[in-house]
Amino acid sequence: MWLHNTELDWKVAHDRDESASSHGEWSETETSPETLSWQRWSFDSGITSVRIRPTLPSTPVVVRANNPVTIPAGHEARFFVSIPMVLKVEVDRERPVVIAEIPLVVLSKTWFGVPTEGELCQVLKSGAARTLEETRPDPVRAVCVLQIKNTSTEPLPIQKFCLRLDYAGLYHGKCRLWTSAHLIQYVGGGEFKHAHFEPPEKFVTDSELVLLEKERKSADQSIFKKGFSQLSNLVMA
Amino acid sequence: MIELPIYFLETVQEAGEELRTSQPYINALVTILIGFPLVIVGSRLLARLIKKKVSEHASFLARRLAFYIGCIFVVITILGNLGFNLTAILGAAGIISAAIGFASSSSISNIISGLFLIWEKPFQIGDAITVGGHTGSVYSFDLLSIKLRTFDNRFVRIPNTQVLTSDSVNITKFPIRRLDINVGVDYKEDIPTVVKVLREVADRNPLCLDEPEPVIIFTGYGDSSLDFMLGVWFSKTDMLALRNSIMQEIKKSFDQAGISIPFPHRTLYAGDVTKPFPVQVIQGKKAESDRQDSDTTSA
């Protein structure tokens, strides 16, 4: 990523190098390639402060269970999903302006629903793990804990689910990044309730959790307020 | 001394008489000056008010309807101001309407077709549609016709009757679409390898939707090639970007995998009666020198 600051303007550009092995380093002298496509921002006064921090993707992410799983009636299952971060570039500390959001991993698009009705999402090909140990610590990924409780009298088969991470916060732990935990309760007949996000403290062993980034959308607009017909789209068998 | 006030009074009286005579015209003028702008502003305001609650198409129709009703109301008011007998006018209007109706049956047909289209809602303003061989986005939807803006920025007017009676395709009705690409490979190529390469191309392209899955069909034995169809799903906004990128990627991946895309082949033979005749392809310069050599030898 290249940032360029003149008296009243900021310019930002980025490029991808799939062969790069390290996670990059800060340099104030590096010259930028000529092929870059710059995005330019103009301000009415000189701004010199810039802040770069991780955030969660704004579009929903569809995750497949590494192996299709069925949750028997009365049981609950926990999944661990490794979510690639988005780099957020903000200028001006007093009135922050986001000048770029750059995904660190480019995810493919996917459609969650039927071809006539549904939601455009991104797809995570790494899948959902059943234990935390299966997700290796990665500085550019955050772990999302998903807990599905089957309170119905019927088994719940799960192949994939959709995580709406704009309702989740981002936390910094001792050795990993974490998102809010996502809790869903299945009540039978294709209906879900109590779908909500909450801080991940009680699901993780990491004791030093610090909130890095609040959720993009507040709880009053959350999926919890939406109808059950939409909630039923959270998990697809 | 007495004549002046009398003259003044007469003048005032005449002016009052003139004012009384011209009052209806003044009223009509005021109605025109206030009424029509009010109708225009009112209809726009109505459209703006309901825009957030209903579709763009519905707000457009509401605006037009409010405008037409307002105009009729203003015209009736003006005619009333001018002292016309509205009952007689409406009676005459009925007769004239019937006469005009017979004379302009196609217009009436278009209006009725327009009402059916409003009720059926096959498309809305902004949708990309194909009607009667014309493809473009719906620019406006009026009483007599719909107007399209084609992708090369031409304006096409299509009567409502034609829209109602002919096949129309709404390209952007659903949020996702499938792009079908037909591709042929040489007969010598290995079919599973071709399928694998095509699948990898679809998987690599970030604009191709992962779900619904890409479709790869071996469609048949062509004249010169084994024919395949690659169908990839995409979000309707990504059409051009996907088409450009995936066509290039197919060619590049085929080149890397050593898969050739053939040009049409023709095999000529002379049949059973005579033996096949030999054909030798020779280079231009070499042929010229060979010909000169043979001339020298024979000389």
Side-chain angles (χ1 to χ4, degrees):
Chain A
M1 184 178 70
W2 287 264
L3 276 166
H4 189 256
N5 175 222
T6 56
E7 195 178 349
L8 295 175
D9 290 356
W10 275 91
K11 286 198 300 180
V12 59
H14 73 277
D15 200 4
R16 288 181 191 282
D17 182 5
E18 303 295 341
S19 62
S21 55
S22 71
H23 291 300
E25 57 185 33
W26 178 267
S27 160
E28 290 193 13
T29 54
E30 193 178 340
T31 52
S32 55
E34 287 180 2
T35 52
L36 287 178
S37 169
W38 291 92
Q39 199 179 354
R40 186 170 169 170
W41 292 78
S42 294
F43 296 89
D44 55 4
S45 59
I47 295 166
T48 52
S49 62
V50 62
R51 193 176 176 197
I52 302 167
R53 53 182 174 161
T55 188
L56 290 166
S58 58
T59 46
V61 174
V62 170
V63 189
R64 286 199 178 88
N66 280 342
N67 295 303
V69 62
T70 300
I71 305 173
H75 286 253
E76 65 181 29
R78 202 172 280 183
F79 299 92
F80 296 86
V81 185
S82 194
I83 310 283
M85 294 288 92
V86 172
L87 212 58
K88 184 155 103 174
V89 184
E90 270 179 358
V91 293
D92 196 359
R93 271 187 198 283
E94 289 173 10
R95 289 181 300 160
V97 178
V98 180
I99 61 168
E101 283 203 1
I102 303 162
L104 293 171
V105 177
V106 178
L107 301 177
S108 297
K109 292 180 179 178
T110 191
W111 189 251
F112 197 72
V114 291
T116 52
E117 199 180 344
E119 193 172 12
L120 190 64
C121 304
Q122 293 178 302
V123 64
L124 200 61
K125 297 202 170 165
S126 57
R130 293 285 289 120
T131 60
L132 182 61
E133 288 68 37
E134 289 175 56
T135 60
R136 63 183 172 85
D138 189 333
V140 298
R141 286 172 184 263
V143 177
C144 176
V145 181
L146 170 72
Q147 182 169 288
I148 302 173
K149 193 172 184 178
N150 184 2
T151 56
S152 73
T153 53
E154 60 197 59
L156 173 64
I158 293 171
Q159 284 187 347
K160 58 182 179 180
F161 40 82
C162 180
L163 293 173
R164 289 174 173 82
L165 294 164
D166 41 0
Y167 297 101
L170 180 65
Y171 296 82
H172 186 272
K174 198 173 178 183
C175 52
R176 286 176 190 261
L177 289 171
W178 297 89
T179 75
S180 306
H182 193 8
L183 312 178
I184 305 172
Q185 188 181 344
Y186 181 65
V187 292
E191 287 191 356
F192 293 82
K193 71 172 187 179
H194 297 317
H196 66 284
F197 285 94
E198 64 176 50
E201 278 96 349
K202 63 180 181 185
F203 302 97
V204 299
T205 51
D206 214 329
S207 56
E208 297 171 24
L209 285 178
V210 179
L211 180 66
L212 274 183
E213 184 87 349
K214 280 184 179 175
E215 62 274 10
R216 289 174 191 261
K217 291 182 183 171
S218 56
D220 60 333
Q221 298 170 301
S222 77
I223 42 178
F224 186 64
K225 299 280 180 189
K226 292 182 181 174
F228 286 122
S229 59
Q230 282 166 293
L231 286 178
S232 67
N233 285 334
L234 283 168
V235 179
M236 285 186 81
Chain B
M1 288 297 283
I2 301 166
E3 279 181 359
L4 188 62
I6 291 172
Y7 175 72
F8 179 72
L9 281 175
E10 281 176 351
T11 313
V12 169
Q13 225 168 5
E14 277 173 19
E17 200 64 38
E18 276 178 19
L19 195 67
R20 244 196 312 277
T21 319
S22 58
Q23 188 64 41
Y25 298 105
I26 293 169
N27 287 347
L29 190 67
V30 170
T31 312
I32 290 169
L33 291 177
I34 295 175
F36 285 117
L38 205 66
V39 168
I40 293 168
V41 172
S43 57
R44 284 186 183 170
L45 204 64
L46 175 74
R48 197 175 294 176
L49 277 176
I50 62 169
K51 201 172 184 177
K52 286 180 184 170
K53 293 176 184 169
V54 298
S55 66
E56 193 183 352
H57 181 207
S59 88
F60 181 80
L61 285 174
R63 180 180 150 188
R64 284 287 162 101
L65 201 66
F67 177 77
Y68 290 133
I69 291 172
C71 283
I72 290 168
F73 184 74
V74 170
V75 168
I76 288 172
T77 311
I78 292 165
L79 291 174
N81 285 336
L82 294 173
F84 286 96
N85 184 353
L86 289 179
T87 318
I89 288 173
L90 289 175
I95 296 165
I96 292 167
S97 307
I100 291 173
F102 280 116
S104 58
S105 60
S106 63
S107 300
I108 303 292
S109 162
N110 278 323
I111 291 171
I112 292 168
S113 299
L115 293 175
F116 278 116
L117 286 172
I118 291 167
W119 174 65
E120 196 188 348
K121 279 198 275 187
F123 43 76
Q124 295 194 331
I125 289 173
D127 281 353
I129 63 167
T130 300
V131 181
H134 298 286
T135 301
S137 62
V138 180
Y139 184 71
S140 78
F141 194 160
D142 294 326
L143 278 179
L144 295 176
S145 62
I146 64 158
K147 277 94 178 179
L148 297 184
R149 190 181 71 80
T150 63
F151 298 128
D152 56 352
N153 214 25
R154 286 179 297 153
F155 181 84
V156 180
R157 178 188 176 277
I158 305 172
N160 286 336
T161 314
Q162 194 184 329
V163 179
L164 194 72
T165 53
S166 63
D167 293 345
S168 64
V169 180
N170 189 336
I171 300 165
T172 51
K173 172 83 176 170
F174 299 123
I176 55 171
R177 286 179 56 201
R178 200 178 75 189
L179 174 68
D180 291 346
I181 300 164
N182 294 310
V183 60
V185 299
D186 209 322
Y187 265 89
K188 69 178 170 57
E189 305 299 347
D190 179 41
I191 293 174
T193 309
V194 175
V195 171
K196 183 170 164 272
V197 170
L198 287 175
R199 188 164 297 281
E200 282 170 358
V201 168
D203 287 346
R204 263 201 313 271
N205 193 311
L207 300 175
C208 288
L209 295 182
D210 184 77
E211 192 83 24
E213 279 187 22
V215 182
I216 301 169
I217 302 170
F218 175 39
T219 50
Y221 301 97
D223 290 342
S224 316
S225 59
L226 298 172
D227 295 335
F228 292 84
M229 192 276 281
L230 170 66
V232 287
W233 290 85
F234 62 97
S235 169
K236 65 183 178 185
T237 52
D238 293 335
M239 170 73 183
L240 283 178
L242 175 68
R243 196 179 185 90
N244 274 333
S245 60
I246 204 159
M247 295 298 245
Q248 292 178 29
E249 283 160 17
I250 288 173
K251 176 75 171 67
K252 195 175 165 187
S253 299
F254 275 8
D255 288 348
Q256 280 170 357
I259 297 170
S260 61
I261 301 173
F263 47 85
H265 289 122
R266 288 286 180 271
T267 305
L268 296 176
Y269 80 105
D272 293 336
V273 181
T274 59
K275 287 180 181 174
F277 51 85
V279 176
Q280 187 181 1
V281 180
I282 47 177
Q283 296 296 322
K285 277 188 178 178
K286 190 170 182 299
E288 187 66 25
S289 63
D290 287 350
R291 195 163 56 79
Q292 282 172 359
D293 288 348
S294 83
D295 288 347
T296 315
T297 313
S298 47

